[in-house]
Amino acid sequence: MELIQQLVNGISLGSIYALIALGYTMVYGIVRLINFAHGDVFMIGSFVGFYAVTMLHVGFVPALLLAMASCAVLGMIIERIAYKPLRNAARIAVLITAIGVSLLIEYVTIYLRGAQPEAYPSTLMPDRNLELFGVVISSQSLFILGTSLVLMVLLQFIVHRTKIGKAMRAVSHDAEAARLMGINVDNTISATFAIGSALAGAAGVIFGIYYTKIEPLMGILPGLKAFVAAVLGGIGIIPGAMVGGLLLGVIESLVSGLGYSLWRDGAAFVILILILIFRPAGLFGKNVREKV
């Protein structure tokens, strides 16, 4: 029974990682860029949700939508200002820019509001224990999992059933051919950043509810773990990011459940090392090393 509880907790945590990892993998699939500022977009989403609840006195769904909209706009601004001018630059220049944008977001946030942490109101989503088939499961974990799954299904619908989704897949396959076919590549890339950032904003609100405490540097570790999840599933592959995030969450919960809670963060990076050694393309990718 303890194992089932740990699995449910792990899947709930993994769904948060999966939402963040989707942003990494979508952007990489389109422009071959690892957006290391993505974890800080997640942090901004968490704070937008917090202030929406505490200052505007709205419920969970309006706070979630407001955080997603704010992060979508932020993602497009970052892409247009920081990444678009470097579209044809060396990869190291883009990587350094991504790290710079990450630090800029963190320390502008600290400058504007200070470094003190905040606590999400417990009334936003009261936590109750539910007993299902003899297993005690947190209602909060189930709600977080349900919300994350709805967002993942919505993303799959957008990618496979809408015009912008078809444009994203075309640009991912061959940007020049897509441009010749009349697709606006710049707008498609901006839309990709917007969708990925919106999912990170949603993950920020869910994370705030799950862990209660939020602070300006909170995006660093979840962002890195989500990157590990994207690599685990296969960077650039959307189903891979989902599965990678869920697997990573389950592994962390099992490590904690076995009494090695101090090792739970290290477990993610051990997985990254093993994946890069034995299957660098990830679980869903073709096992071929990309030429740099």
Side-chain angles (χ1 to χ4, degrees):
M1 295 303 177
E2 179 70 23
L3 175 63
I4 296 175
Q5 290 175 3
Q6 292 295 340
L7 286 175
V8 172
N9 292 336
I11 292 171
S12 299
L13 175 61
S15 66
I16 298 175
Y17 292 151
L19 288 177
I20 308 172
L22 285 167
Y24 278 114
T25 211
M26 288 173 66
V27 168
Y28 185 85
I30 295 284
V31 292
R32 297 296 184 267
L33 161 69
I34 302 297
N35 179 20
F36 280 115
H38 195 61
D40 299 291
V41 174
F42 154 82
M43 176 269 292
I44 293 294
S46 191
F47 273 103
V48 170
F50 171 78
Y51 287 122
V53 172
T54 56
M55 298 177 69
L56 301 180
H57 306 291
V58 300
F60 170 73
V61 173
L64 185 74
L65 294 176
L66 185 58
M68 291 177 71
S70 301
C71 288
V73 173
L74 177 61
M76 288 191 292
I77 292 172
I78 291 171
E79 190 275 328
R80 287 297 167 113
I81 294 175
Y83 298 143
K84 186 179 178 183
L86 300 174
R87 193 81 44 86
N88 298 316
R91 290 192 180 188
I92 189 66
V94 182
L95 178 62
I96 292 170
T97 301
I99 295 171
V101 172
S102 171
L103 293 170
L104 178 66
I105 293 172
E106 290 169 9
Y107 288 98
V108 165
T109 304
I110 290 174
Y111 176 78
L112 292 176
R113 64 162 302 280
Q116 71 276 10
E118 301 283 3
Y120 257 68
S122 58
T123 55
L124 184 62
M125 190 185 296
D127 192 15
R128 300 183 181 88
N129 288 329
L130 304 175
E131 188 170 340
L132 300 173
F133 306 108
V135 180
V136 178
I137 299 173
S138 164
S139 62
Q140 197 178 76
S141 295
L142 292 176
F143 190 84
I144 287 170
L145 177 59
T147 304
S148 301
L149 289 176
V150 167
L151 291 171
M152 291 179 201
V153 170
L154 182 61
L155 174 65
Q156 286 292 84
F157 175 80
I158 291 171
V159 170
H160 293 284
R161 294 286 185 268
T162 66
K163 188 175 180 180
I164 188 63
K166 291 176 182 177
M168 286 163 56
R169 285 186 286 140
V171 173
S172 175
H173 184 70
D174 190 328
E176 287 305 314
R179 198 188 304 275
L180 291 172
M181 294 299 292
I183 294 173
N184 190 320
V185 173
D186 288 338
N187 287 351
T188 302
I189 292 172
S190 290
T192 304
F193 270 84
I195 294 170
S197 298
L199 291 174
V205 176
I206 294 170
F207 184 93
I209 292 169
Y210 193 77
Y211 283 103
T212 306
K213 176 187 164 186
I214 60 171
E215 45 95 14
L217 301 180
M218 63 177 276
I220 298 173
L221 194 55
L224 288 174
K225 287 182 180 179
F227 172 66
V228 172
V231 173
L232 173 61
I235 191 79
I237 302 169
I238 289 176
M242 296 179 185
V243 173
L246 294 173
L247 277 176
L248 186 59
V250 169
I251 291 168
E252 280 197 12
S253 289
L254 291 177
V255 169
S256 295
L258 291 172
Y260 299 101
S261 57
L262 293 176
W263 287 87
R264 59 176 293 170
D265 292 335
F269 301 105
V270 169
I271 291 169
L272 176 62
I273 293 168
L274 293 175
I275 283 291
L276 291 176
I277 292 172
F278 296 108
R279 192 171 176 82
L283 298 176
F284 284 69
K286 293 180 180 178
N287 206 14
V288 178
R289 293 182 184 271
E290 182 184 356
K291 293 181 181 179
V292 179

